[in-house]
Amino acid sequence: MIRPMRVIAISTLKAFWTDSPRYMDAREPTLAWYRHVLAADWSAPSDVKSDFRNASILKDGRVVFNIAGNKYRLVVWINYAYRVVYIRFIGTHAQYDRVDVQTI
């Protein structure tokens, strides 16, 4: 039986679209990512990689997803044991380059 994943802080995604209208094109791709994750069965980084082959697996449960044809970066922290995905950051490549993905 597949237990669904939980996604924490979808408000981070919504704020990204609504706070800056120029990022509204990220809405549908991020919602598609969100729906996919809710139905995912991830118990290890290899499961993420099999679903999203372009995802970058980092240390300590961090994963970077390319969104909207690689226009945006989405950083999450995954607690595989509890099946929880915490949204830590979404932004453009330039914004991503200014953050430390291991500490956000």
Side-chain angles (χ1 to χ4, degrees):
M1 181 176 133
I2 295 175
R3 294 180 334 192
M5 301 295 288
R6 288 182 29 225
V7 179
I8 305 295
I10 190 161
S11 60
T12 302
L13 299 179
K14 290 178 181 176
F16 183 68
W17 320 312
T18 57
D19 291 352
S20 186
R22 70 179 178 260
Y23 301 136
M24 192 53 111
D25 64 332
R27 184 178 185 273
E28 289 307 315
T30 52
L31 285 175
W33 172 88
Y34 173 75
R35 287 188 294 271
H36 185 96
V37 172
L38 289 179
D41 185 20
W42 297 340
S43 57
S46 59
D47 297 331
V48 175
K49 201 68 171 162
S50 69
D51 272 358
F52 293 93
R53 59 184 167 86
N54 291 329
S56 298
I57 307 296
L58 307 178
K59 60 184 175 183
D60 299 327
R62 302 281 176 153
V63 180
V64 180
F65 295 93
N66 295 315
I67 301 292
N70 203 20
K71 186 173 181 181
Y72 302 106
R73 295 264 172 102
L74 173 63
V75 179
V76 302
W77 176 74
I78 302 174
N79 184 323
Y80 295 98
Y82 289 95
R83 306 182 61 76
V84 177
V85 177
Y86 297 90
I87 297 169
R88 306 300 299 153
F89 169 86
I90 184 169
T92 64
H93 282 263
Q95 293 164 336
Y96 172 85
D97 290 341
R98 292 191 301 266
V99 299
D100 179 356
V101 295
Q102 289 303 143
T103 60
I104 59 170

